[in-house]
Amino acid sequence: MSEQQGEVSFLVNALADAIGRQRMLYANGQNGNTKRTKLWDEFGYPSDVGFDQYYRAYERNAVAHAAVHKLLDSCWVDNPTIIDGEEKDESGETTEWERAVQKLLKRHWAKLKDADRRNLVGRYSALLIQVKDGREWKDPINADYIRSLGTERLKAVVKLIPAWEAQIKPGNFDTDTMSETYGQPVMYNFNEQPVGDDGTYGPVRSVQVHPSRVIILCEGAEDENMLSGIPLLRAGYNKLLDIEKTSGGSAEGFLKNASRQLGIAFDKETDIATIQAQAKEAGFKDLGEALNDKMSRFNKGTDAALAMQAGQLSVLSVAAADPTPTWNVTANEFSATIQCPFTILFGQQTGRLASDEDKTDWAKRCNGRRWGFMSDFITRVIERFWQIGVIDPPKSGEVTLAWSDLLAPSEKEKIANMQAMAAVAKDTQAAFGTPAITENEIRAVGELEPISEPEEPAGTATTDPLTGEPIEQPTTTGQPDNSAQ
């Protein structure tokens, strides 16, 4: 009875906490400002942001689109090396298993990259595996049939299909706490209709897909819940709206000033009633409609004249504000949310390149993502391939991905380092008679092959060119030869 009372007390407390949090949200607003609870409403920020908002921002907001592709292209600048075993085994000869995996992935690297692109926009994305196994998508993959194909197993993978968050939804979840797949979907619902299409061009069909045919990408969901993924644009979404306000408002102000909005001031002696009657006789509703028609015709021509008898014409314009300071502040805030230096994301309009510190920070960011999330994703793809029988398991039982180091110096930097070390060698040679750095050490900095040192002669004997027999050379002892005396 005490256990039941404890469970009931736990549920009551959890419900009370949930109600309290909801009341606080209603009372204080989403922004957390206790004084100005409607601050986000005044700024035009939405209280809830979903996939549709992220997708529209990616499609139509230049900064959001650039942010996604800057991170995507920097991380996928090259493909990793697949290693059967640990990283230290990379220097060994390429095995047959490694060649088979590289051959299989060679056709699908672009699809893996596109699935990552969709993962950056939404909370998650999916990679569907279409195989020739003679079964429906709602059934588990027939691994035994694929293994029976022998050398043709690699061709069993028809294609990989990247899917947006809006296209694939989890069905029922596994509620068996003793199951290895507890908390994971037991089926997925896949909508083939492309995102943004109203059914005019793409197919409109929904199918059920078994989890063995689906690989989920949900970056940031360390609890392995696909709904807990963190979109790249989430933290900076409000800043994207501010950037649109700043740049769009500046452009709108420029357009309005360039449109020559005109104002007409009549003096007090003007007979408005007569002018109004003449406008109606001309077929206009009132004087305002007549003036708008005249101004519209006037603005359509660059060489147009306007004659007036009792009115004074003036151009309605204001001095356009410089949006640069406001835009820079907002853009820097957004850059911070995606951990990308401003100079890397936007460049410099003054011709100055990004600083070495910015390049190093960005390389560290991309290196961490390559060795972390991306390695885990590609490894899961390879594991799924051998689970469904497309390839054999690795002989070592372990798969390692080796990525190129984005912090490695460029060819220009290598030459500069070699020049600096050569200068040290020259100065130490002049000062102490012995260089502090050898030639091969300088070559190693430039990743050049070392120069082998010449071998010392085995002895003092030389060979007679006629007989080929060795000739002993006299040994010099430093004493004068007095034999002739």
Side-chain angles (χ1 to χ4, degrees):
M1 184 67 180
S2 60
E3 292 183 359
Q4 294 180 352
Q5 290 177 349
E7 292 179 357
V8 171
S9 176
F10 174 78
L11 292 174
V12 171
N13 292 336
L15 181 60
D17 290 342
I19 295 175
R21 286 194 299 269
Q22 188 175 17
R23 288 177 177 174
M24 288 181 63
L25 287 178
Y26 283 124
N28 298 331
Q30 296 287 342
N31 61 346
N33 192 313
T34 58
K35 183 177 181 180
R36 297 175 175 85
T37 58
K38 300 298 182 181
L39 199 60
W40 277 18
D41 292 340
E42 295 176 6
F43 292 162
Y45 300 150
S47 57
D48 297 311
V49 183
F51 173 78
D52 291 338
Q53 287 82 8
Y54 294 132
Y55 180 78
R56 283 200 296 268
Y58 166 72
E59 286 285 307
R60 302 298 298 270
N61 187 296
V63 177
H65 189 275
V68 171
H69 282 272
K70 176 62 69 173
L71 181 60
L72 181 75
D73 296 337
S74 297
C75 291
W76 287 92
V77 67
D78 55 14
N79 299 324
T81 301
I82 312 298
I83 305 172
D84 182 356
E86 300 179 359
E87 187 176 357
K88 61 182 179 61
D89 300 325
E90 181 183 5
S91 58
E93 184 178 355
T94 303
T95 65
E96 290 295 331
W97 183 87
E98 292 172 350
R99 273 193 282 267
V101 175
Q102 292 284 9
K103 180 180 179 181
L104 176 61
L105 292 180
K106 185 179 180 180
R107 297 185 292 125
H108 303 298
W109 283 121
K111 299 300 179 63
L112 269 62
K113 179 180 178 181
D114 195 57
D116 190 16
R117 174 178 69 97
R118 301 172 191 230
N119 155 74
L120 291 173
V121 176
R123 291 178 299 174
Y124 64 89
S125 66
L127 190 67
L128 278 67
I129 307 174
Q130 182 179 352
V131 294
K132 294 185 292 185
D133 63 340
R135 290 184 178 179
E136 297 289 337
W137 283 16
K138 63 181 179 180
D139 300 323
I141 293 179
N142 191 349
D144 294 334
Y145 172 79
I146 296 178
R147 292 190 182 96
S148 66
L149 298 178
T151 57
E152 299 296 320
R153 288 185 297 170
L154 297 182
K155 297 182 180 179
V157 179
V158 179
K159 62 181 177 179
L160 302 181
I161 306 173
W164 293 98
E165 174 187 341
Q167 290 180 294
I168 188 163
K169 300 293 183 182
N172 296 329
F173 289 86
D174 187 355
T175 57
D176 183 5
T177 56
M178 303 299 293
S179 173
E180 294 182 357
T181 59
Y182 171 72
Q184 301 298 321
V186 296
M187 193 68 67
Y188 292 94
N189 298 317
F190 175 56
N191 183 9
E192 293 183 341
Q193 182 177 354
V195 174
D197 179 38
D198 58 357
T200 305
Y201 303 102
V204 182
R205 187 169 68 110
S206 180
V207 296
Q208 289 186 323
V209 186
H210 191 268
S212 63
R213 304 175 187 269
V214 178
I215 296 176
I216 296 295
L217 292 78
C218 48
E219 189 171 3
E222 306 304 334
D223 58 354
E224 297 184 0
N225 185 345
M226 60 184 294
L227 303 179
S228 300
I230 302 175
L232 179 67
L233 307 178
R234 173 187 290 176
Y237 186 80
N238 290 351
K239 299 302 143 185
L240 291 174
L241 299 181
D242 290 345
I243 289 175
E244 284 188 335
K245 295 175 194 174
T246 306
S247 60
S250 175
E252 183 70 14
F254 177 85
L255 175 63
K256 288 184 176 180
N257 279 341
S259 297
R260 293 190 303 181
Q261 292 181 338
L262 304 177
I264 301 176
F266 293 99
D267 53 35
K268 60 182 179 179
E269 286 81 12
T270 303
D271 188 358
I272 300 296
T274 303
I275 301 177
Q276 179 101 6
Q278 293 176 350
K280 290 183 178 181
E281 291 178 1
F284 296 101
K285 178 181 178 181
D286 51 25
L287 178 59
E289 182 179 342
L291 291 176
N292 284 334
D293 178 72
K294 299 299 181 182
M295 294 303 104
S296 176
R297 294 183 182 183
F298 175 75
N299 280 326
K300 288 182 180 179
T302 56
D303 298 327
L306 181 64
M308 304 186 65
Q309 178 179 1
Q312 183 178 0
L313 185 67
S314 61
V315 179
L316 302 178
S317 63
V318 295
D322 183 10
T324 304
T326 305
W327 188 92
N328 283 339
V329 171
T330 308
N332 273 283
E333 289 183 279
F334 174 78
S335 298
T337 64
I338 64 171
Q339 303 175 43
C340 178
F342 178 90
T343 54
I344 297 293
L345 181 58
F346 297 101
Q348 284 287 351
Q349 302 300 323
T350 59
R352 179 173 63 86
L353 299 178
S355 66
D356 293 338
E357 290 79 5
D358 289 343
K359 292 180 180 179
T360 301
D361 289 343
W362 183 241
K364 290 179 180 179
R365 163 87 158 96
C366 296
N367 270 345
R369 189 172 188 270
R370 279 152 68 101
W371 288 101
F373 170 77
M374 292 173 59
S375 292
D376 175 71
F377 163 50
I378 298 173
T379 301
R380 287 192 291 120
V381 172
I382 298 174
E383 290 177 351
R384 183 66 58 85
F385 282 153
W386 85 57
Q387 289 171 358
I388 65 178
V390 176
I391 58 176
D392 294 325
K395 293 183 178 179
S396 66
E398 181 181 2
V399 179
T400 303
L401 271 62
W403 297 87
S404 62
D405 188 4
L406 299 179
L407 288 171
S410 62
E411 294 298 326
K412 183 178 180 180
E413 292 171 337
K414 294 176 185 176
I415 294 175
N417 293 338
M418 292 177 67
Q419 289 175 339
M421 295 186 69
V424 173
K426 178 181 177 182
D427 293 343
T428 54
Q429 172 74 30
F432 310 111
T434 303
I437 302 173
T438 65
E439 179 182 1
N440 282 338
E441 288 176 333
I442 297 176
R443 294 178 64 86
V445 172
E447 298 184 1
L448 302 176
E449 294 294 330
I451 298 177
S452 58
E453 299 180 359
E455 298 181 358
E456 295 290 337
T460 58
T462 58
T463 303
D464 189 334
L466 297 179
T467 63
E469 297 179 354
I471 302 176
E472 294 292 336
Q473 296 291 334
T475 303
T476 303
T477 61
Q479 299 294 329
D481 187 4
N482 300 324
S483 61
Q485 298 180 353

